[in-house]
Amino acid sequence: MGRRRSIGFVAAVISLTVVAAAFGAGPWPGLAVNLTAPDGTVRYAAKAVGSSTNVTAVRVSTGRVLHRARVAGVFGIPAVTLNGTAGGLSVDGRRLILAPPPNYDATPSAETRFVVLSTATLRPVRTIVLRGDFGFDALSPDARTLYLIQHRSTADASYAVRAFDLRTGKLLPRTIVDKSEADQTMRGFPVARATSADGTWVYTLYRRDNETPFVHALNTRGRYAVCVDLPRMVADEWIWSAALDLTDGGAHLVARLATDANAFVIDTQTLRVVG
């Protein structure tokens, strides 16, 4: 299968997911198959069986099961992009977040549950119950702040980024927005992600209908975000195959859209497009 045909196939598959999400509760990427720790040594998986979920931690090099547990309720490893990029693991590797399956019903869910596991045992250390429809977004390096996507409407792909304090067990009242934006309503679908080495910054590339793509730069320590609009429209067949990479020791964020000729470069200090 040629590269262009492969890109078209991926775009078609993801487009079906987008259509489903658009008629559901928002840009919720759903669940990932599994999640590998940043150092590549351990792979986590969660599979729902009936009304419970089997969670495993496996040594990648040998395939040996390190831990196994069963969690009450139906959960999975959260995806953070529509191409299945997995999230949910803290930078220090001590905490793993399990998320519920996506909601594609006509109305948003009235309640959402998340489970926080200790990776040392895979036993729950906290169950989070929220009123409303939420999806996983990110986790701060100290595993204190859980960032969530709140789906407010089924009419379009609009949402809000919220912060949940894992120490106090409280959902913070304010939304995490770019205060320089006149319209603080978020819209779009996540197609690529990159995270700084220390987990402070989480960068997500979003595709928007009939508008230029943008990068949502979330500071997970400071609980604030900046939106960086890319300077021109990108054809859908390129945006679905996009990748985000941090280069020059994290000084630059490169959005690669299938070919180097379609790349954008963002200065991570100023959060401006420089190339």
Side-chain angles (χ1 to χ4, degrees), residues 118-131:
S118 165
T119 56
T121 62
L122 293 186
R123 293 179 180 176
V125 296
R126 178 187 287 275
T127 298
I128 300 167
V129 183
L130 298 170
R131 292 198 303 176

Side-chain angles (χ1 to χ4, degrees), residues 178-194:
D178 185 338
K179 297 186 182 299
S180 67
E181 296 280 342
D183 181 4
Q184 296 185 353
T185 300
M186 297 281 288
R187 292 183 178 85
F189 296 97
V191 296
R193 173 167 289 202

Side-chain angles (χ1 to χ4, degrees), residues 165-186:
D165 193 313
L166 287 166
R167 294 186 182 177
T168 65
K170 301 291 185 181
L171 181 69
L172 302 186
R174 67 182 181 89
T175 58
I176 309 298
V177 296
D178 185 338
K179 297 186 182 299
S180 67
E181 296 280 342
D183 181 4
Q184 296 185 353
T185 300
M186 297 281 288

Side-chain angles (χ1 to χ4, degrees), residues 115-159:
V115 177
V116 184
L117 303 180
S118 165
T119 56
T121 62
L122 293 186
R123 293 179 180 176
V125 296
R126 178 187 287 275
T127 298
I128 300 167
V129 183
L130 298 170
R131 292 198 303 176
D133 199 306
F134 293 84
F136 174 87
D137 188 34
L139 190 61
S140 65
D142 58 6
R144 174 172 180 172
T145 307
L146 171 64
Y147 292 90
L148 303 167
I149 299 293
Q150 182 179 15
H151 307 142
R152 293 176 165 176
S153 171
T154 59
D156 60 11
S158 63
Y159 61 94

Side-chain angles (χ1 to χ4, degrees), residues 16-59:
L16 292 175
T17 303
V18 171
V19 170
F23 286 96
W28 169 216
L31 301 177
V33 175
N34 53 50
L35 169 64
T36 301
D39 63 5
T41 60
V42 181
R43 181 176 295 114
Y44 300 93
K47 183 178 181 180
V49 180
S51 59
S52 63
T53 301
N54 292 332
V55 187
T56 56
V58 176
R59 179 73 65 189

